Amino acid sequence: MDQVDLSIISKYDVSGPRYTSYPTALQFAELDDDQYIQAIHDSPRKDKDISLYFHIPFCDTLCYYCACNKIITRDKSKAEDYLRLLYREIELKAEHLAGRSVSQLHWGGGTPTFLSDLQIQALMDKNREHFQLWSDEDGEFSIEIDPRTVDEARIQALRKAGFNRLSMGIQDFNPVVQKAVNRIQSFEATESVIKAARGCGFRSISVDLIYGLPHQTVESVRNTLDQIIELSPDRISIYNYAHLPDRFTPQKRIKLVDLPSADNKLRILKLCIEKLTGEAGYCYIGMDHFAKPEDELAVAQSQGTLHRNFQGYSTFSDRDLIAFGVTAISLVGNTYAQNTKQMDEYERRINSGQLPVEKGVVIDQDDLIRKAVIMALICHFEIEFADIEAEFGINFTNYFAEELEQLEQFAGDGLLILKEDSIQVTDKGRLLIRNICMCFDRHLKQVSGQRFSKAI
């Protein structure tokens, strides 16, 4: 892609949603079990295969930057108690899913590898008891791991259990940075895990980095990138660290004075993009995602079939997502449904035979239209008005007259090309795709305060 223009990025450096859903979770309101069950039975996708997501909330150490829903504990007995609740939730939801096949499965957290090998195998067996998982060749079955909690034997056990994709956090290899965020993870340990995964047949390996962490400099991040390129993962995500200590208590342990300045943070981002898409040869998928040219994400984007959901970019679209565990979010038909965030309430509901759904939103027609526009832009960086008009029976120019007027500024800055019948995002504009999508988000005006991370 083109060289990164820091002046333009600085101009549009505002907070905004990541659009893993639309409407975003801030629009969720009270939703009950009956509405969720009805959504399953009414889903226009009810005759298709499904995706499953499992939230494993436990971590045995606290990473200070983390904004995830997690439980810090070294008490392994908590995992067994939680699994019993997950098994029951599977049973309760499977009653309404009529043995639908599973093409995609993902375990996130927390740290799913907090579970033992036997517990991981047991949970996968429970899945197979109630659902028909696609073959290893056709299905996408992924798990997030912490390289500090696994060795070669554990990687082999994960492959035997049926996982064929791995994702792992790295964040930064610099020991000073690692100490400041309480995540000590050597290059050698990470390399060993990746080699083991390749050796036993994992099809895809993804790694996560964060820019904007304490003590990071352009040069220190350059060294980390050199090591990442040496590891040669299939996909790389580079997230912007959002310092929000009032919302995420662990971040209070990070000193504001240790964070890179806004200018240095932008220079770090510029380095990451130019280094990965230049000498390393990765494709810039969008937002903060990069993939090798032969990776399914890059291929799907070139073919116009890329999709985005709560796990980020995906090649699997038009499927109901059924989520399990505390705080997990499902998308069934046109209904988002989130489980309770409180473990004691989750336990109470499951033990009483209730689904743990607490809130969500039923997407109305206007949001369906806006979601289609946002997803087309964020996945493919272009939109033909005729496609939206044919699907929803509207006149795009009339329907989005105000939004198109807002986009004139982006066009003037060379971030997109606005035509009579289409919007095409330029290479320069791809970095600011969240900002462009925000023009179509009718809910943003209702959000007070800084509830999102910075777009860049």
Side-chain angles (χ1 to χ4, degrees), residues 234-236 238 273 276-277 282-285 288-291:
D234 301 282
R235 301 174 185 177
I236 301 171
I238 304 180
I273 294 170
L276 290 177
T277 60
Y282 284 84
C283 296
Y284 178 63
I285 301 300
D288 26 42
H289 285 61
F290 302 80

Side-chain angles (χ1 to χ4, degrees), residues 133-322:
L133 271 62
W134 280 20
S135 69
D136 183 70
E137 293 76 19
D138 297 324
E140 183 177 288
F141 310 124
S142 61
I143 183 171
E144 298 173 16
I145 69 166
D146 182 343
R148 301 172 300 171
T149 66
V150 299
D151 55 17
E152 183 175 355
R154 294 215 71 195
I155 292 296
Q156 292 173 351
L158 292 174
R159 187 71 183 97
K160 182 179 178 182
F163 293 102
N164 53 28
R165 296 171 179 270
L166 287 182
S167 63
M168 66 187 73
I170 293 175
Q171 321 321 341
D172 193 298
F173 278 128
N174 185 286
V176 176
V177 176
Q178 290 184 354
K179 183 177 179 180
V181 298
N182 197 41
R183 186 184 176 97
I184 309 300
Q185 179 178 325
S186 71
F187 171 81
E188 291 75 19
T190 308
E191 180 184 41
S192 175
V193 166
I194 290 177
K195 285 183 176 179
R198 289 201 173 104
C200 59
F202 276 88
R203 293 211 308 268
S204 178
I205 297 169
S206 306
V207 302
D208 296 340
L209 305 177
I210 298 178
Y211 71 95
L213 292 175
H215 303 296
Q216 280 183 331
T217 66
V218 171
E219 194 55 40
S220 74
V221 173
R222 188 191 307 276
N223 292 335
T224 287
L225 289 175
D226 286 339
Q227 292 173 296
I228 294 297
I229 293 168
E230 181 181 341
L231 295 176
S232 190
D234 301 282
R235 301 174 185 177
I236 301 171
S237 297
I238 304 180
Y239 297 106
N240 169 24
Y241 171 63
H243 190 61
L244 302 171
D246 291 340
R247 289 186 58 199
F248 307 111
T249 303
Q251 294 185 358
K252 292 181 178 179
R253 306 189 189 195
I254 293 177
K255 298 177 182 178
L256 189 61
V257 69
D258 293 335
L259 298 178
S261 67
D263 286 347
N264 282 336
K265 192 173 178 180
L266 290 181
R267 291 189 183 95
I268 290 170
L269 174 63
K270 174 182 170 74
L271 167 71
C272 292
I273 294 170
E274 293 178 354
K275 192 171 181 66
L276 290 177
T277 60
E279 63 186 78
Y282 284 84
C283 296
Y284 178 63
I285 301 300
M287 297 280 289
D288 26 42
H289 285 61
F290 302 80
K292 290 183 176 180
E294 64 274 16
D295 185 86
E296 292 101 323
L297 287 186
V299 173
Q301 188 171 65
S302 67
Q303 295 177 345
T305 59
L306 191 66
H307 182 64
R308 187 163 174 80
N309 59 27
F310 290 108
Q311 282 77 60
Y313 287 102
S314 172
T315 59
F316 285 76
S317 62
D318 198 31
R319 288 162 173 79
D320 285 334
L321 169 64
I322 311 297

Side-chain angles (χ1 to χ4, degrees), residues 77-93:
S77 68
K78 291 185 180 296
E80 197 61 42
D81 295 337
Y82 186 68
L83 284 174
R84 284 195 290 270
L85 299 174
L86 277 182
Y87 294 163
R88 183 57 182 146
E89 186 181 1
I90 292 171
E91 294 166 356
L92 291 169
K93 289 184 175 177

Side-chain angles (χ1 to χ4, degrees), residues 10-22:
S10 181
K11 177 179 177 179
Y12 289 96
D13 189 21
V14 298
S15 300
R18 294 179 55 78
Y19 294 115
T20 52
S21 71
Y22 184 81

Side-chain angles (χ1 to χ4, degrees), residues 348-359:
R348 185 193 69 78
R349 293 196 184 194
I350 293 292
N351 287 338
S352 64
Q354 295 177 274
L355 293 179
V357 174
E358 184 172 76
K359 59 182 180 178

Side-chain angles (χ1 to χ4, degrees), residues 101 217 237 267 269 296 398 407 436 445 454:
S101 63
T217 66
S237 297
R267 291 189 183 95
L269 174 63
E296 292 101 323
N398 292 340
L407 291 179
I436 294 169
K445 294 179 182 179
K454 287 290 188 72

Side-chain angles (χ1 to χ4, degrees), residues 58-62 71-79 114 148-149 182:
F58 305 108
C59 296
D60 58 16
T61 58
L62 176 65
I71 297 171
I72 307 301
T73 181
R74 294 182 182 273
D75 182 358
K76 296 295 184 177
S77 68
K78 291 185 180 296
F114 181 90
R148 301 172 300 171
T149 66
N182 197 41

